[in-house]
Structures are given as C-alpha cells and as structure tokens.
Amino acid sequence: MVNQDDLKRQVAEAALDYVVPGTIIGVGTGSTANMFIDALAGIKNRIEGTVASSEATAERLRGHGIMVFELNEVDSLSVYIDGADEADAGLNLIKGGGGALTREKIVAACSEKFVCIADQSKKVDVLGKFPLPIEVIPMARSYIAREMVKRGGEPVWREDFVTDNGNQIIDVHGLQIIDPKGLEAELDHLPGVVTNGLFALRPADTLLLATPDGVETLKAAQ
Ligand code: 5RP
C-alpha cells in the first residue's frame, strides 16, 4: 500500500514541471511544501529565487542554498506552489493547518498561477470537515469566537501557537461550507480577523492530486 508520505513526495516532485525557469516563485508551507522544497533543491540553478510564505519555509529554502527574497523586493511571482488541508471541485481550499494562512494568501495573491499540491485525502465534496483556521488580532479572539458560534461553528483557540505575524489562531469545527466565496468575504469583514483560511476568492488554478495510480491534474470546474 502507498503511504501518505509517498503520495506527498510524488505530487511534490510533479510540481517541478510548473516551475518557470529564470523567474522568482512563491513557496508554501507544510509537509507537502517541504517535500517540494527538497525537490526544488535539485533544480535551484534554473530559477532566480523564491518568496517564502513562512519563516519555516524561508529557513528550509536557505538551508538548501535557494535564494529567498522579501516579497516587497519583487514585482510579481510566476507561480505559487503550496499544499492545502482541503480542496473541492472548484479548487476552493481550506488552508492554514500549519498556521501560515496570512502569508500564504498574500503570496498567492501576487502570483500569476497557483498550483496546489495534495494527496487524495484532501479532496472533499464540501469544505469544512477540516476545522477552518482564522488568524485574529489577539484582543479580538473571544469576539470572533462568539461570531463563529452564531454561524454554527465550534471555535477552538489554538493555544501555545503564535503566527509569524504575532497573532493567534482559532480553528472552527463543525462548518459545512456551501458558499466558500461568500463566507471568505464575510469573515474578512469582521473586525479583528486578519485572514481566514478559505482560499476561494483566489482559488487554486491547478490542483495536482496524488493517488495510488499516479498524479491527477485538476482544473477548476467552470
Ligand atoms: C499551512 C498550510 C498547509 O498547506 C496545509 O496545512 C497542508 O499541510 P500538509 O502539506 O502538511 O498536509 O496551509 O498553513
């Protein structure tokens, strides 16, 4: 039987085909993104460099001798390659299991193309089984938690975790997200929310999904 790490490695290696030579690329965060970074090391001389979506990713990239730029130093990124916690048929995503959602969303926004890499366990019909992470300004935590209860969620404070931006995370369980774009926009308007983990207003352009039979390439259903 193929284990999940093997699937992650397969899809991470498949993503090398999407690296645009001579450009700066965005790199995501998490165990699948880490495997992509390790694979990228083998072709590092073909790119100008990277922008990292977290301190952990920057450290791993530098550890491989891969150039890391600050986002403010670059005009645009050819492609952003990152994992996800859940993906639906529209390539709407839940991200932020690793707590890097805000920087991930910023880097994705600056990228011409977003290639999501995941193993088949991440593909769902309806988003929400994976708890939705919300990065909040610390003083707003309880307020946002109450707002999520009003929306049918069960918020859990991710204690002992501080984001790279110095904020806190609430993981909201029990949601069935039938309108990902609507909920993403609604939550972003609550005062104190820095970012929510829905990537639907800017979904992935391509989802590479690792299965025991190989890597499938999915495009968003129009
Ligand atoms: C980090 C993320 C990750 O992409 C997501 O949690 C998936 O991680 P993994 O590849 O370890 O399953 O959004 O904030």
Side-chain angles (χ1 to χ4, degrees):
M1 211 177 100
V2 194
N3 73 30
Q4 199 181 17
D5 278 353
D6 289 335
L7 292 178
K8 288 183 179 188
R9 196 165 297 107
Q10 267 179 37
V11 78
E13 287 171 4
L16 292 179
D17 288 346
Y18 291 81
V19 171
V20 184
T23 67
I24 302 175
I25 69 167
V27 182
T29 298
S31 57
T32 317
N34 280 346
M35 289 185 191
F36 170 71
I37 295 167
D38 296 346
L40 184 66
I43 60 159
K44 65 182 178 190
N45 295 331
R46 289 191 213 157
I47 56 168
E48 191 180 339
T50 59
V51 167
S53 63
S54 64
E55 300 295 340
T57 286
E59 194 179 322
R60 196 175 186 100
L61 287 162
R62 288 196 185 101
H64 281 299
I66 299 171
M67 181 73 192
V68 181
F69 293 96
E70 292 297 322
L71 185 59
N72 287 318
E73 294 178 297
V74 308
D75 290 332
S76 74
L77 302 167
S78 57
V79 64
Y80 178 55
I81 296 176
D82 194 4
D85 299 301
E86 279 187 351
D88 71 11
L91 307 198
N92 304 301
L93 311 173
I94 287 184
K95 290 184 46 55
L101 59 162
T102 298
R103 294 189 186 195
E104 291 173 340
K105 204 176 271 195
I106 296 168
V107 180
C110 293
S111 300
E112 284 167 38
K113 189 177 172 108
F114 178 4
V115 176
C116 182
I117 50 176
D119 67 85
Q120 61 180 6
S121 69
K122 308 291 184 69
K123 182 82 182 356
V124 297
D125 291 332
V126 177
L127 298 173
K129 197 162 179 202
F130 189 92
L132 177 66
I134 304 180
E135 178 166 353
V136 297
I137 300 288
M139 72 171 288
R141 192 187 68 242
S142 299
Y143 163 64
I144 300 300
R146 288 193 294 274
E147 288 296 316
M148 294 315 297
V149 171
K150 283 186 201 164
R151 289 163 176 79
E154 297 152 35
V156 177
W157 175 23
R158 202 183 294 183
E159 288 188 66
D160 304 322
F161 183 86
V162 177
T163 70
D164 284 348
N165 315 305
N167 297 314
Q168 296 177 349
I169 300 256
I170 299 171
D171 293 303
V172 186
H173 297 245
L175 296 172
Q176 272 222 326
I177 305 172
I178 47 172
D179 176 13
K181 284 184 175 50
L183 186 63
E184 180 178 359
E186 181 185 332
L187 298 183
D188 275 352
H189 282 98
L190 293 174
V193 168
V194 177
T195 313
N196 71 81
L198 281 166
F199 285 56
L201 296 168
R202 201 282 181 246
D205 299 302
T206 300
L207 172 62
L208 300 180
L209 197 68
T211 77
D213 300 322
V215 175
E216 287 176 16
T217 304
L218 283 81
K219 304 275 180 195
Q222 297 302 315

